[in-house]
Amino acid sequence: MVFWSNRRLPRPEMPRLRPRVAPTALAKVDFTELVPEPVPFLGQAAYIQLEFFESLARSVATAPTLSAKEGLSRAAGGALRQHHALIAELRRLGVEPVEVMAPFAPAAERFRLASAGADWYELLLGIHVTAGMLDDYFSRLAEGLPGELATRVRAILAEDEASAGVLHDELFAAIAAEPGLADRLALWGRSLVGDTLLIARSALRASDSRDRGADVEPVFTELIAAHTRRMDALGLTA
Amino acid sequence: MVFWSNRRLPRPEMPRLRPRVAPTALAKVDFTELVPEPVPFLGQAAYIQLEFFESLARSVATAPTLSAKEGLSRAAGGALRQHHALIAELRRLGVEPVEVMAPFAPAAERFRLASAGADWYELLLGIHVTAGMLDDYFSRLAEGLPGELATRVRAILAEDEASAGVLHDELFAAIAAEPGLADRLALWGRSLVGDTLLIARSALRASDSRDRGADVEPVFTELIAAHTRRMDALGLTA
């Protein structure tokens, strides 16, 4: 997964699509300094969306109500559209998407299984937490892609707002209805953070000998802060 | 599931979108004589598409190759679009889709489980055979819907051509590669026909005391003929 380079392509200032996290003293990283190699970046991002689709489809199949099925099927359709839109970007670059995605499949599948949880509620929180963190993260990294590709990829990754709403609403209602659920889900949510950060870090291996880990530490802090707000909104202690 | 009426709305001649079956001496039924009640018709059709989506999503999750995942994920996206397009037609009629679909859920879910098969190949053939027959069938019934609704619903149901191609191609390649598979799948394909015709018939209960079974017998003959051609194309004895 070594696909980062130091080359700094000249590019115009990109407007941020939206501020994803509150500005803090820590949020000093200029992501345009990090230049992801477009092909493996898109391959990993596309495969991760496919995993979110599979998890969401499973949540549709096991949903306890038809109305939950409806909302979640829309979220599944959204993840699938994101997957196919990223695939289309790979085709535009003249590469075969299946070959590009293949190296990322084993880790992404292990990650999906590890975040699937023991029941439907844990599955939903697993998707909410991991997709929330990783879509934010890939969207930030996409700022460093060359030219118009950055804009297009960020627009693709921003599409999951509606899904996040569906997941939040289903979880919120379930937590309100079942007193013991909050504690169990709070624990589960905390346990997901480590694996998610590992996947995020795997997208950051430097292609030179210099370890870029230190450069992006504040971004991980931001991701965790956004995670805490997401859990707070559900009344869960992060 | 009693939702058929004898009322015959005046409507212009509808062009057939495409000839689904070769014309035979048996194919004499004028489907515009059968007037399905739009709301339950759309509810059952929408729920069945959701079941096809769930089966296709499962085939994505268990696909042995990434390239199969790709093709099948497109087919899953197609079934989901069909489901949501039918739901949108229900909303246009001013009804709550979840309430309308609910009565059809138990039978449709039993049907999905019964046609899921023992492994990935049986799952694929299960979708190919049952979606092939039921999409044809609902498309024929849709001819009797009032006015523009008939055209729109037939266009929605015609969208699965690409999916059928993906399923055919994956099965064809697998059968060629694995000598014993053809016999097992031929047997499995035959066993699916009965359950599929039962689901088809459940959409046809007359709302009056007259049994319409006799009127549509030739259509069932057509469905079986189309099924035979589908199996033949895979080199399987129907």
Side-chain angles (χ1 to χ4, degrees):
Chain A
M1 317 305 164
V2 171
F3 61 81
W4 292 84
S5 76
N6 279 328
R7 81 191 138 72
R8 179 80 172 82
L9 299 178
R11 54 197 292 281
E13 269 309 294
M14 297 298 308
R16 297 260 167 106
L17 291 183
R18 57 197 166 123
R20 288 250 182 179
V21 290
T24 68
L26 284 165
K28 289 273 177 52
V29 175
D30 177 4
F31 259 69
T32 60
E33 290 292 334
L34 296 166
V35 184
E37 291 288 348
V39 168
F41 173 87
L42 290 169
Q44 186 174 25
Y47 202 85
I48 285 175
Q49 292 303 324
L50 185 63
E51 296 294 337
F52 289 147
F53 163 71
E54 290 187 17
S55 297
L56 283 163
R58 197 175 150 203
S59 80
V60 172
T62 55
T65 68
L66 193 41
S67 125
K69 253 187 212 292
E70 266 321 289
L72 291 166
S73 77
R74 275 170 212 283
L80 203 54
R81 274 195 303 279
Q82 290 179 302
H83 169 69
H84 288 140
L86 293 166
I87 293 268
E89 292 296 342
L90 282 169
R91 291 233 164 76
R92 262 172 113 135
L93 296 173
V95 294
E96 171 48 49
V98 164
E99 282 167 29
V100 175
M101 288 189 295
F104 301 103
E109 276 173 22
R110 273 196 305 278
F111 178 61
R112 172 171 57 83
L113 293 173
S115 52
D119 64 7
W120 189 71
Y121 303 107
E122 290 190 8
L123 174 63
L124 255 53
L125 188 67
I127 304 166
H128 192 48
V129 163
T130 62
M133 289 177 81
L134 289 180
D135 284 356
D136 272 7
Y137 184 68
F138 278 90
S139 184
R140 293 295 303 277
L141 291 191
E143 291 174 31
L145 290 170
E148 287 303 304
L149 186 59
T151 317
R152 289 201 306 272
V153 170
R154 300 198 77 212
I156 292 167
L157 293 174
E159 214 222 303
D160 64 343
E161 294 288 287
S163 311
V166 170
L167 292 163
H168 168 89
D169 293 350
E170 287 294 337
L171 286 164
F172 194 84
I175 289 165
E178 230 184 291
L181 192 58
D183 288 346
R184 176 157 67 89
L185 288 183
L187 201 65
W188 173 239
R190 279 197 291 280
S191 77
L192 292 163
V193 174
D195 282 348
T196 309
L197 291 180
L198 281 177
I199 287 277
R201 193 169 284 276
S202 78
L204 259 192
R205 298 284 152 68
S207 60
D208 56 1
S209 58
R210 194 156 67 87
D211 177 22
R212 305 192 75 93
D215 299 332
V216 295
E217 213 51 69
V219 182
F220 288 98
T221 310
E222 285 177 31
L223 288 183
I224 292 167
H227 166 71
T228 304
R229 283 194 294 279
R230 212 171 281 123
M231 295 284 277
D232 278 350
L234 289 169
L236 301 177
T237 314
Chain B
M1 315 305 163
V2 172
F3 62 80
W4 292 83
S5 75
N6 278 328
R7 80 190 141 72
R8 179 81 171 79
L9 298 179
R11 53 196 291 282
E13 271 308 295
M14 297 298 309
R16 298 262 167 104
L17 289 182
R18 57 197 166 122
R20 288 252 181 178
V21 290
T24 69
L26 284 166
K28 289 271 175 54
V29 175
D30 178 2
F31 258 71
T32 60
E33 290 292 334
L34 296 166
V35 184
E37 290 288 347
V39 167
F41 173 88
L42 291 169
Q44 186 174 23
Y47 202 84
I48 285 175
Q49 292 303 326
L50 185 63
E51 295 295 336
F52 290 147
F53 163 71
E54 289 186 17
S55 296
L56 284 163
R58 197 175 149 202
S59 80
V60 172
T62 55
T65 68
L66 193 41
S67 125
K69 252 186 213 292
E70 266 322 289
L72 292 167
S73 76
R74 275 170 215 282
L80 202 54
R81 273 196 303 279
Q82 290 179 301
H83 169 69
H84 287 141
L86 293 166
I87 292 269
E89 292 294 343
L90 282 169
R91 290 233 165 77
R92 263 172 111 136
L93 296 174
V95 295
E96 171 49 46
V98 164
E99 282 168 28
V100 175
M101 289 189 295
F104 301 104
E109 275 174 22
R110 273 196 306 276
F111 177 62
R112 171 171 59 83
L113 294 172
S115 53
D119 64 5
W120 189 71
Y121 303 108
E122 292 191 5
L123 175 64
L124 255 53
L125 188 67
I127 305 167
H128 192 47
V129 164
T130 61
M133 291 178 80
L134 290 181
D135 284 356
D136 272 7
Y137 184 67
F138 277 90
S139 185
R140 294 293 305 277
L141 291 192
E143 291 175 31
L145 289 170
E148 287 302 305
L149 186 58
T151 318
R152 290 201 306 271
V153 170
R154 301 198 76 211
I156 293 167
L157 292 173
E159 214 222 303
D160 63 344
E161 294 289 287
S163 310
V166 170
L167 292 164
H168 169 88
D169 293 350
E170 287 294 338
L171 286 164
F172 194 84
I175 289 165
E178 230 184 292
L181 192 57
D183 289 344
R184 177 157 68 88
L185 287 184
L187 200 66
W188 173 239
R190 280 197 290 282
S191 76
L192 292 163
V193 175
D195 281 348
T196 310
L197 291 181
L198 281 178
I199 286 278
R201 194 169 283 276
S202 78
L204 258 192
R205 298 284 153 68
S207 60
D208 55 3
S209 58
R210 194 157 67 88
D211 178 22
R212 306 192 75 93
D215 297 333
V216 297
E217 213 51 69
V219 181
F220 287 99
T221 310
E222 285 177 29
L223 288 183
I224 292 167
H227 165 71
T228 304
R229 284 194 294 281
R230 212 171 282 122
M231 296 284 279
D232 278 351
L234 289 169
L236 302 178
T237 314

